[in-house]
Amino acid sequence: MRESFCLAALLYRPGISALDALDKVESLIKDGFKWVLGGDIEKFFDSIDHDLLLSFVAERVSNPHVLKLIKEFLKTSVFENMSIHEEYFGITQGSVISPLLANIYLHHFDSELTAKGYHLIRYADDFVILEDSQERIGKALADTAAALRTLKLKLNEKKTKLLSVREGFVFLGYYIDFKGKGPSKKAITAISQKLREVNQADKNRNIGERIDDLKQIIRGWSTYFHICRGIEPENTPALIALIEISLELGDEENARKLLGKKRDFTIDQPDIWYRLGNLAQALGLKDEALNIFSQTLTLVPDHFKAKESLKQLQLVYEDVYSSIERLKKFIHFCPGLAQPYRDLAFCYAELGEYGLAQESYQKALKLDIGTEPEEKPITPLPSLKDLPPLVFSDEDASIFSALFKGREGIFARQWVDEKGRKGFSPVTHSLTLEDIKNHLSGKETLGLYLLNDEDQVYLAVIDVDIDQKALLEYAKDEETTLKLHHLTHQDAVRIASVCDDLKLQVLLEDSGYKGRHLWFFFANPIPAKLARIFLKFITEQAGKPSGGIHWEIFPNCDKLKGKRFGPLIKLPLGIHKRTNRRCLILDRESNPLPEQMTALSRIKHITQQTLEEILLTYTVKPNAAQLKTKESPLIKSLLSGCKVINHLVNKARETHYLNNSERLTLLYTLGHLGDKGKEYLHKAISNCINYDYNYTEKQITKMKSCPISCPRTKEKHEDIALVLGCNCEFNLPPKGYPSPVLHALKQPKTWPFQSLSRDTVIQDKKAIPEGINANLKRYIELRTQLGGIEKNIQRIEGEMSSYFDKAETDSVTTEYGLLERRRKAGDRFEWVIKL
């Protein structure tokens, strides 16, 4: 059934923007309406006929004083040919009442096209019609021209086009096609020209003021388009302004792309370099920030702000060699700081360069206290005893392969270059039994990328290591170093004992270098976020790490981002290439198990149900009694009135889980009941195992001003509404809409949330005969459906008549029988089907 409508009646009004029209256009395209009539009324505001407009106003307004006032407003005196005469066409576009008069004038145009079933979307004199066939859109063009002629208007032939959505079209400044929408070339050209003019006018002002002026212009433009992509910076002030606005919009990808364009300009001002450095730092581009701040200090060696910003950079990453190069560069520009020397010492110790580590560490101490401390050599880390060479069979490799699963189609191989530098590089094929045998035999050392394409994991790891700082400070003392290694094992056993209490099997492994790995295996892949919640719970139950020890959980992120492969963990039983020690499975006394593969073959996997039951049992703190005692009269009224909302609150309490759609429904009901409602929202959702206070609070701050409507609630939770019943009745004001939040208005006072109507106050219910609301509602629905059906019948009959006229016949054989057209009075026909 074709649904006809016109969005124009809702537009060009306070609180309703052109973006509403654009959203409707996108919605129609998604629904398959791929043919477009892009229309523009030629000289619309200059062509409005005063007499015709006043007659339209008089259809609704009978007060002669108001009509006279409008008539006086329309009067325009024109000086032409040395005389003054009154103009009887056109209205002033910039006046307060012009938008209202424009909509009144075009109301008949909207009604006529809508009655014919066209999908019209109009904003002022700019409109589009979308239909599902080329024939239909062609007919729309003729009907559109005819409808405008009755208003003494005509189409702008140059701007009116018939085309497919695939070709793309421009509407209200946006270019739209099947891929979506974005700023048109004309819009980008206009903003670029404006930026050029402002920059030329501001050349005598300081750079900060120029950038602020440019940002103000870009921000106004991006408020409409929601992005600032496509604008090419012509100078460094525009470049900085565009990057900063991109960051405001959350478009980090565009900000990074723009930052790369700095090479297109010759920059000789240190303050420009400094500001670009801060932007690189905000984008997390630490290497880029280091280089830019260094450039600032090259121009002005004593640039205080650049030095302070350099101090804030975290220059030590996973790649030790790159970290050393960064720190050396930092020290070159800031030689008087202790921290970079201390970081450099940690990096050298990581490589086993203990002489260089000691030298850097002593320099840091000297800068800290101003005196040269007594030098003490740092001795290498001790090696732990390994088992004799192990032999693994093909069956062992199969057991290993079945147990250690990660991302399909890729794994990692550890490498060592001629300078002794080590790292992992990705291998883009699935892990084979041959690869596993090479790993177990010690020919190569492999690692596993944990997250699959659906952000799920088959296993998780808690890594217990010696803290890098503690390792450096105590590396000179062999006895203390051994104590730290023992502490890693004690901490690992403490964590494992938590698992014992929960009847969960965990695999304890010597990581081969500084500590221990605790492995958890899942029966089926589970969301990485859930695995992380679980591991955090386990570590919280185990207490805090011992002094000099730190714990880290893998996966260390919830989702894969961009093109990265995600968290990597080294597989057990291989040879650690830094220490040449085999990574063995241990017992609780730190002894290697005599039968390594037997331990793997006896692993009991953890089911997601078991994991969730543990989390529900130990982590959900609020209970039903606590929640209920905090209910305000306002919340009680809402919960007692709306069965769906009450069901969702009870579901959170009883099942400890709500999906995103259910959470949003609670947000857009409870969240509109003032501070008490927001507090109750937190308490309701805190029953869920994946509750996060900060995330929920962020959603509250981003919440739109209008509560969710009843039809939207029923649409999102259709199954619940059908079972519980959802037929609430409200006494609505003009322009109001039904919403679960209205149940709170049964209280005899004004509540702290916005009215559901934009410009009216919702009134109390009056006495209404029982059942009349339900009957009237159903009556309106049926009449609406009937009107739509009749319009569609008329349209289809018209199309069939067109077919018969072309064929010059009054009957045709169809698969349903003989279809005949019988002429009645005038142009009307009767249609008969003979089976």
Side-chain angles (χ1 to χ4, degrees):
M1 180 182 295
R2 181 184 298 274
E3 177 192 5
S4 63
F5 66 91
C6 176
L7 193 65
L10 300 176
L11 300 177
Y12 215 20
R13 289 174 46 200
I16 303 295
S17 72
L19 297 176
D20 294 291
L22 290 158
D23 288 342
K24 195 64 184 179
V25 169
E26 284 195 296
S27 176
L28 285 170
I29 292 172
K30 289 179 182 177
D31 290 341
F33 293 86
K34 57 185 179 181
W35 290 94
V36 183
L37 164 61
D40 183 85
I41 304 172
E42 185 172 307
K43 298 181 180 179
F44 168 64
F45 283 95
D46 295 335
S47 303
I48 292 177
D49 183 280
H50 292 180
D51 291 338
L52 201 55
L53 174 60
L54 288 169
S55 70
F56 293 154
V57 174
E59 291 176 4
R60 293 293 184 91
V61 178
S62 58
N63 189 317
H65 300 293
V66 174
L67 293 173
K68 183 179 179 181
L69 181 63
I70 295 175
K71 186 174 182 179
E72 290 296 320
F73 167 81
L74 292 173
K75 279 186 179 180
T76 304
S77 297
V78 177
F79 180 78
E80 189 176 35
N81 296 327
M82 302 302 296
S83 64
I84 297 176
H85 65 273
E86 285 190 13
E87 184 62 68
Y88 297 100
F89 292 89
I91 60 176
T92 306
Q93 291 193 47
S95 67
V96 176
I97 198 173
S98 291
L100 173 61
L101 296 178
N103 267 342
I104 292 172
Y105 198 77
L106 288 175
H107 174 69
H108 289 269
F109 168 74
D110 303 334
S111 299
E112 186 170 342
L113 292 181
T114 302
K116 294 181 179 180
Y118 293 120
H119 294 74
L120 168 68
I121 299 172
R122 177 177 64 79
Y123 194 86
D125 59 332
D126 199 0
F127 67 89
V128 290
I129 296 175
L130 288 98
E131 298 299 330
D132 54 7
S133 70
Q134 189 172 10
E135 181 183 0
R136 176 82 174 153
I137 204 69
K139 192 172 184 298
L141 176 59
D143 288 341
T144 298
L148 289 175
R149 281 196 295 270
T150 63
L151 299 173
K152 301 182 182 181
L153 300 172
K154 63 179 180 178
L155 286 169
N156 186 326
E157 294 182 2
K158 292 182 180 180
K159 295 184 179 181
T160 300
K161 297 179 181 179
L162 294 179
L163 43 83
S164 166
V165 173
R166 194 178 304 281
E167 300 174 58
F169 62 98
V170 175
F171 182 52
L172 300 178
Y174 274 87
Y175 175 81
I176 306 169
D177 58 20
F178 276 128
K179 297 178 182 178
K181 66 179 188 290
S184 65
K185 290 182 180 179
K186 184 178 179 181
I188 293 173
T189 301
I191 184 68
S192 299
Q193 177 63 28
K194 182 65 175 176
L195 294 177
R196 192 179 303 117
E197 293 171 356
V198 171
N199 189 66
Q200 289 292 331
D202 284 357
K203 274 193 171 181
N204 295 327
R205 304 179 69 189
N206 68 57
I207 196 68
E209 292 175 339
R210 289 168 63 189
I211 292 172
D212 288 343
D213 288 346
L214 294 171
K215 284 174 63 178
Q216 184 175 356
I217 294 168
I218 298 168
R219 189 179 289 114
W221 189 85
S222 63
T223 297
Y224 181 70
F225 290 105
H226 300 302
I227 60 171
C228 60
R229 295 193 178 203
I231 307 174
E232 290 296 326
E234 297 185 3
N235 46 59
T236 50
L239 175 67
I240 292 172
L242 285 166
I243 296 173
E244 292 184 357
I245 294 297
S246 293
L247 285 173
E248 286 183 16
L249 295 170
D251 191 355
E252 292 191 3
E253 181 182 351
N254 191 51
R256 289 191 177 94
K257 180 180 176 182
L258 287 166
L259 185 63
K261 292 181 179 293
K262 70 182 183 300
R263 64 177 68 90
D264 298 339
F265 306 100
T266 300
I267 306 174
D268 55 6
Q269 296 174 275
D271 286 345
I272 291 286
W273 280 115
Y274 169 69
R275 196 150 177 172
L276 288 171
N278 284 333
L279 291 172
Q281 189 173 6
L283 287 166
L285 304 174
K286 297 175 183 177
D287 284 345
E288 187 79 0
L290 173 62
N291 292 331
I292 294 175
F293 286 136
S294 299
Q295 187 66 37
T296 309
L297 293 170
T298 300
L299 294 172
V300 181
D302 294 328
H303 198 290
F304 175 76
K305 289 182 178 179
K307 286 189 174 183
E308 289 300 307
S309 295
L310 273 173
K311 292 179 186 179
Q312 306 301 318
L313 288 178
Q314 174 61 44
L315 301 176
V316 180
Y317 306 159
E318 185 177 340
D319 185 350
V320 178
Y321 297 95
S322 298
S323 299
I324 290 173
E325 294 304 315
R326 295 186 195 95
L327 290 165
K328 285 182 177 179
K329 190 170 188 177
F330 185 13
I331 289 170
H332 172 75
F333 288 103
C334 302
L337 299 176
Q339 188 57 46
Y341 284 103
R342 187 175 289 107
D343 291 338
L344 189 60
F346 296 157
C347 291
Y348 281 134
E350 181 76 8
L351 295 175
E353 300 285 353
Y354 296 104
L356 292 173
Q358 181 66 37
E359 182 182 334
S360 298
Y361 194 67
Q362 295 300 318
K363 182 67 175 177
L365 291 177
K366 180 181 178 181
L367 288 169
D368 276 338
I369 62 177
T371 59
E372 189 77 48
E374 182 184 353
E375 257 190 58
K376 294 182 181 179
I378 297 178
T379 57
L381 291 173
S383 296
L384 299 180
K385 292 182 179 180
D386 197 357
L387 285 179
L390 300 178
V391 178
F392 297 95
S393 65
D394 290 348
E395 183 182 354
D396 293 337
S398 296
I399 293 173
F400 192 93
S401 174
L403 192 60
F404 292 94
K405 296 180 181 179
R407 186 172 182 178
E408 291 184 4
I410 191 169
F411 61 95
R413 182 180 289 122
Q414 194 173 27
W415 53 266
V416 181
D417 65 14
E418 64 278 359
K419 295 182 180 180
R421 294 183 294 187
K422 305 172 184 68
F424 278 92
S425 58
V427 181
T428 53
H429 68 75
S430 296
L431 196 61
T432 65
L433 290 180
E434 192 64 29
D435 293 321
I436 292 172
K437 285 192 285 186
N438 287 337
H439 172 80
L440 295 175
S441 66
K443 292 180 181 178
E444 56 188 28
T445 302
L446 306 180
L448 204 63
Y449 293 104
L450 296 182
L451 270 71
N452 64 18
D453 291 336
E454 296 179 354
D455 298 318
Q456 297 174 324
V457 293
Y458 286 90
L459 50 86
V461 179
I462 299 175
D463 182 17
V464 181
D465 265 343
I466 301 174
D467 183 80
Q468 188 76 315
K469 181 177 180 180
L471 181 65
L472 175 63
E473 292 182 342
Y474 295 116
K476 56 186 176 289
D477 186 336
E478 183 175 352
E479 182 181 354
T480 306
T481 304
L482 282 172
K483 287 181 180 179
L484 286 172
H485 277 282
H486 289 312
L487 280 178
T488 63
H489 187 77
Q490 290 176 17
D491 278 20
V493 170
R494 179 149 50 96
I495 296 171
S497 66
V498 173
C499 300
D500 293 341
D501 294 340
L502 296 171
K503 295 181 172 55
L504 299 175
Q505 189 173 7
V506 61
L507 200 67
L508 179 57
E509 175 215 357
D510 172 13
S511 69
Y513 181 34
K514 294 185 297 182
R516 302 287 185 263
H517 289 162
L518 293 103
W519 293 81
F520 299 82
F521 302 91
F522 306 118
N524 293 296
I526 68 170
K529 183 173 184 178
L530 182 58
R532 283 168 50 74
I533 293 172
F534 169 64
L535 293 190
K536 286 178 182 178
F537 163 72
I538 295 293
T539 53
E540 287 171 1
Q541 297 300 307
K544 294 183 178 181
S546 301
I549 308 299
H550 80 272
W551 302 346
E552 187 175 6
I553 62 175
F554 291 89
N556 55 9
C557 62
D558 295 340
K559 295 183 177 180
L560 293 173
K561 296 181 180 178
K563 297 182 180 179
R564 293 189 294 176
F565 300 123
L568 171 72
I569 194 75
K570 179 176 57 61
L571 288 169
L573 298 186
I575 303 296
H576 195 299
K577 292 192 178 294
R578 188 181 296 278
T579 60
N580 288 320
R581 288 205 342 251
R582 188 176 287 278
C583 306
L584 297 168
I585 301 166
L586 308 177
D587 62 18
R588 301 304 169 84
E589 283 72 41
S590 193
N591 300 315
L593 297 178
E595 297 291 338
Q596 295 283 306
M597 292 307 302
T598 301
L600 293 183
S601 64
R602 293 176 178 173
I603 286 293
K604 294 180 180 178
H605 291 77
I606 305 169
T607 66
Q608 182 169 341
Q609 181 180 352
T610 299
L611 185 151
E612 290 176 346
E613 287 175 353
I614 290 171
L615 291 174
L616 294 176
T617 302
Y618 293 96
T619 64
V620 178
K621 296 178 181 179
N623 57 49
Q626 289 175 317
L627 195 56
K628 197 165 185 178
T629 56
K630 298 291 183 178
E631 292 175 5
S632 69
L634 188 67
I635 294 166
K636 284 183 179 179
S637 181
L638 170 61
L639 297 181
S640 62
C642 182
K643 298 176 182 178
V644 174
I645 302 303
N646 188 57
H647 172 84
L648 294 179
V649 170
N650 287 331
K651 181 183 176 184
R653 185 183 302 156
E654 295 165 6
T655 69
H656 306 287
Y657 181 80
L658 292 176
N659 60 36
N660 187 60
S661 178
E662 292 168 337
R663 288 169 178 239
L664 286 175
T665 299
L666 291 184
L667 172 67
Y668 279 94
T669 48
L670 294 171
H672 282 277
L673 300 184
D675 292 339
K676 289 289 185 181
K678 293 168 185 175
E679 179 184 342
Y680 190 82
L681 173 68
H682 272 291
K683 291 185 177 180
I685 300 181
S686 68
N687 281 295
C688 303
I689 59 174
N690 51 352
Y691 164 74
D692 183 285
Y693 176 85
N694 292 328
Y695 177 80
T696 305
E697 191 63 25
K698 183 179 179 180
Q699 295 301 110
I700 290 174
T701 58
K702 291 167 59 179
M703 182 176 60
K704 295 179 181 178
S705 60
C706 296
I708 191 171
S709 68
C710 290
R712 182 64 174 151
T713 303
K714 286 191 280 188
E715 179 186 342
K716 291 175 68 175
H717 312 290
E718 184 178 4
D719 53 341
I720 301 173
L722 286 173
V723 173
L724 298 179
C726 190
N727 298 299
C728 302
E729 298 177 6
F730 300 105
N731 186 22
L732 298 176
K735 293 178 279 186
Y737 63 90
S739 169
V741 177
L742 286 174
H743 287 289
L745 290 176
K746 294 177 180 178
Q747 298 297 323
K749 60 188 291 187
T750 302
W751 301 107
F753 63 92
Q754 292 187 349
S755 168
L756 301 188
S757 173
R758 294 185 181 277
D759 48 15
T760 60
V761 179
I762 297 176
Q763 306 294 327
D764 292 333
K765 284 190 174 182
K766 296 180 180 179
I768 300 174
E770 185 178 357
I772 190 65
N773 277 327
N775 289 331
L776 177 59
K777 178 183 176 183
R778 185 57 181 156
Y779 175 76
I780 293 171
E781 290 175 351
L782 291 172
R783 286 303 302 264
T784 302
Q785 293 173 14
L786 179 60
I789 291 170
E790 288 176 344
K791 289 174 184 176
N792 278 282
I793 289 173
Q794 292 172 10
R795 180 180 62 80
I796 293 170
E797 287 180 344
E799 291 175 355
M800 290 195 301
S801 283
S802 177
Y803 300 147
F804 277 64
D805 290 340
K806 289 178 182 178
E808 296 181 350
T809 183
D810 283 322
S811 65
V812 64
T813 302
T814 72
E815 61 180 286
Y816 303 104
L818 183 66
L819 174 63
E820 292 184 351
R821 179 179 67 170
R822 298 177 182 175
R823 187 174 296 276
K824 299 186 72 174
D827 293 331
R828 295 190 61 191
F829 296 97
E830 179 183 16
W831 298 90
V832 178
I833 300 175
K834 294 183 178 180
L835 302 178

